Amino acid sequence: MLILFSPLFPGSGFIHMESGNQTRASEFLLLGFSAKSDIQFVLFGLFLFMYLVTVTGNLLIILVICSDSLLHTPMYFFLSNLSLADICFTSTTVPKMLWNIQTQSTIITYEGCLSQIFFFIVFGCLDNLLLTAMAYDRFVAICHPLHYSIIMNGQFCGLLALGSWCLSIMGSLLETLTLLRLSFCTNMEIPHFFCDLPEVLKLACSDTFINNMVVYSATGLLAVIPFNGILLSYFQIVSSILNISSATGKYKAFSTCGSHLSVVSLFYGTGLGVYLSSAATSSSRTSLVASVMYTIVTPMLNPFIYSLRNRDMKGALRRLLSRLYLVMVWISLKKMNQISCI
């Protein structure tokens, strides 16, 4: 998703022309966390912990939703897709970063870099589109409650999810394939912990005008339009809530979209912060820290937001843990009976 915001801010450096030798890249050097070797062990442990929390938390969200029939609703259907996208989004960059820290290596192959760019954009776009679908779901639930079950039927929700996946893949393919036409200069160092498309384009010696146009087009389709859709949905939601006479009714209506609003704020806030910080300062270290917040911290916090702020999720989690406890007790009793028979 980082690439979707980058053309919206000045100083992102899409067009970068240098004199010198042009070559087809065979590998790039990721310099993200390679400078201070004395804290490599601390960084490895910290990012490994955050990655495991992210994967475990989002997998638990998916497991709870799939196992509880009370959560088989459109909102939780989109939430399970969002959790899957967050797992894949983080897994695109963090395992390679952990490998580089552990092996003290900064190398990523040209093919590996293109693959990382492709999947990073796919799951970043998917996050964005799913959040838009969830905003529309909340809009229908609050503004048109009597028609909710008719509008948000299973077929329509499936089409929304499928469309989000297809648009994300097609947009990422378009942005990634245009990289194949570029030649690169002899300096192949990327001051990042993953292959961020703007940083890769800065290394190109050939003309990147076509790449810029593709990125601007993808940004308009997959970032600007969905974001405006979210803003419009919440404008209508707030207007409807303000028309409710009782304070209890207002609170109940707002609580149904509180978790989603928190995730949207965190997602777009950190995403915008990455490129606002890179535009305001030339320090690659500042941009690096901001990117960590966006690519690692945000997917890690999403399960906590939905589990701590959502009464249905907490109830479903308790029921799941109770069933797991009963299964463990049954297995233990069965083993004890087998031992006593022997």
Side-chain angles (χ1 to χ4, degrees), residues 35-92:
K36 297 182 179 180
S37 58
D38 54 328
I39 61 172
Q40 294 292 302
F41 179 77
V42 177
L43 289 175
F44 180 83
L46 175 63
F47 290 127
L48 177 61
F49 172 76
M50 295 172 70
Y51 178 66
L52 291 177
V53 170
T54 301
V55 173
T56 303
N58 283 287
L59 279 177
L60 187 60
I61 291 287
I62 297 173
L63 180 61
V64 169
I65 293 174
C66 292
S67 63
D68 198 306
S69 59
L70 296 178
L71 299 183
H72 292 175
T73 62
M75 182 178 70
Y76 293 109
F77 169 73
F78 292 124
L79 176 57
S80 61
N81 277 269
L82 182 67
S83 294
L84 177 61
D86 280 341
I87 292 173
C88 298
F89 183 62
T90 307
S91 299
T92 300

Side-chain angles (χ1 to χ4, degrees), residues 69-248:
S69 59
L70 296 178
L71 299 183
H72 292 175
T73 62
M75 182 178 70
Y76 293 109
F77 169 73
F78 292 124
L79 176 57
S80 61
N81 277 269
L82 182 67
S83 294
L84 177 61
D86 280 341
I87 292 173
C88 298
F89 183 62
T90 307
S91 299
T92 300
T93 58
V94 177
K96 176 59 178 175
M97 178 186 63
L98 292 174
W99 174 260
N100 285 355
I101 293 176
Q102 179 67 21
T103 61
Q104 298 293 305
S105 172
T106 60
I107 296 175
I108 183 171
T109 63
Y110 176 73
E111 294 79 8
C113 188
L114 288 182
S115 298
Q116 197 173 66
I117 290 173
F118 171 75
F119 288 110
F120 186 80
I121 297 174
V122 166
F123 297 115
C125 292
L126 185 59
D127 265 2
N128 189 40
L129 294 174
L130 287 173
L131 287 173
T132 307
M134 294 172 75
Y136 179 73
D137 172 75
R138 293 299 84 203
F139 160 73
V140 176
I142 294 174
C143 300
H144 305 283
L146 298 179
H147 300 93
Y148 179 77
S149 59
I150 299 174
I151 298 174
M152 301 302 294
N153 57 74
Q155 183 179 5
F156 181 65
C157 292
L159 287 175
L160 282 179
L162 180 61
S164 298
W165 279 92
C166 291
L167 281 175
S168 300
I169 292 173
M170 288 188 294
S172 183
L173 269 176
L174 194 59
E175 293 189 58
T176 306
L177 290 177
T178 52
L179 284 174
L180 298 176
R181 54 178 289 275
L182 297 179
S183 298
F184 293 87
C185 301
T186 54
N187 179 22
M188 308 304 293
E189 296 179 347
I190 300 175
H192 231 306
F193 63 90
F194 66 96
C195 285
D196 193 17
L197 183 53
E199 297 296 335
V200 174
L201 289 177
K202 289 179 183 180
L203 303 178
C205 289
S206 50
D207 188 7
T208 57
F209 176 78
I210 294 178
N211 299 79
N212 294 337
M213 292 300 100
V214 170
V215 170
Y216 276 102
S217 300
T219 300
L221 178 63
L222 300 176
V224 177
I225 294 177
F227 182 64
N228 287 332
I230 293 175
L231 292 179
L232 180 61
S233 295
Y234 272 102
F235 176 78
Q236 297 291 336
I237 288 171
V238 171
S239 299
S240 297
I241 291 177
L242 291 178
N243 291 329
I244 299 176
S245 57
S246 66
T248 304

Side-chain angles (χ1 to χ4, degrees), residues 276-293:
L276 285 175
S277 63
S278 63
T281 177
S282 59
S283 172
S284 60
R285 186 63 58 181
T286 303
S287 178
L288 191 64
V289 173
S291 296
V292 169
M293 290 293 298

